[in-house]
Each structure stands twice: as structure tokens, then as C-alpha cells.
Amino acid sequence: MEYQRNGITLLPYEGRNQVELIRTKEANNYKSSFWVTFLRAKQMGRQIKTGESGVRIIKVVSNTYTDDNGQVKNRSGIKSYIVFNLDQTTGGEVFNPVIPESVKAVEFLFH
């Protein structure tokens, strides 16, 4: 199985996101395993092809902050993003990344 990856960090998506992206890749015969948001595609010098639809993924986020009384608190929630397969984009340079050994080590530990 080839992991579906974030096109910026090169890290694989996890859980439900991985399943949904694989399903979408197979259903649309995409060759790329890399996904980016509209903004990241733009930053890469790429454009989303007219008429293309993205896939909604979710990410659990948390942050630590200090309240007005000086107590440290944790806050967590869910953010959603729409991502596009690189095959749904045009322009920019040829995207052919080499997965660093550090990323491969993370995959080995957590997958």
C-alpha cells in the first residue's frame, strides 16, 4: 500500500483521512499520492483545474494557553480542510519529492 501524503510535509495522512484519500485516488485513477490545500497549491505555483472537487479531511488540534488567572489550560478541537490531489493541479515545477529517512522512521513507529 502506498501512503497518501501531505504534499508539503511529506508525512502520511492517518486513520479515516488515509482511507478516504485512497478511496478517492482509486476512484479517480490519480497517479500522485500527494495532496495539498488550495492555498498550499497556490504557494507552490500550482492552480486547481477548473471543475475539480477536493476531499474534506479532519485534524485534531490542541493548544496550551494561560488564562487571566495565570492557570495553564489546554484547548482542543477539530479542524477540517479541503485537499486536492496533485493530479488535480496544473503549473508549478515537477513535483517528485524524495521521502526523507526521518519521515520513514516516523512511519515505522506509528503505522
Side-chain angles (χ1 to χ4, degrees):
M1 175 185 75
E2 186 175 11
Y3 287 115
Q4 302 307 291
R5 298 176 181 277
N6 180 301
I8 302 300
T9 66
L10 307 182
L11 290 171
Y13 289 98
E14 298 178 350
R16 176 193 169 279
N17 294 334
Q18 184 68 229
V19 171
E20 186 63 23
L21 295 176
I22 288 171
R23 186 195 67 74
T24 302
K25 177 184 177 186
E26 290 176 355
N28 293 286
N29 295 315
Y30 297 143
K31 291 179 179 52
S32 178
S33 293
F34 295 94
W35 300 78
V36 292
T37 63
F38 176 84
L39 180 60
R40 293 295 188 185
K42 187 175 177 181
Q43 290 171 344
M44 295 169 76
R46 302 181 84 79
Q47 299 84 35
I48 306 300
K49 294 176 184 175
T50 302
E52 294 289 342
S53 297
V55 178
R56 183 175 303 277
I57 61 170
I58 58 173
K59 180 179 181 182
V60 176
V61 294
S62 63
N63 66 343
T64 303
Y65 67 98
T66 305
D67 69 10
D68 295 337
N69 298 324
Q71 293 183 325
V72 176
K73 303 245 178 162
N74 291 316
R75 183 180 331 182
S76 61
I78 296 176
K79 283 185 134 182
S80 71
Y81 301 90
I82 303 293
V83 294
F84 297 87
N85 187 283
L86 284 184
D87 288 353
Q88 296 176 278
T89 67
T90 60
E93 295 182 20
V94 173
F95 188 78
N96 192 16
V98 175
I99 308 302
E101 290 301 318
S102 59
V103 171
K104 291 179 183 176
V106 169
E107 290 173 13
F108 177 76
L109 292 173
F110 295 103
H111 290 95

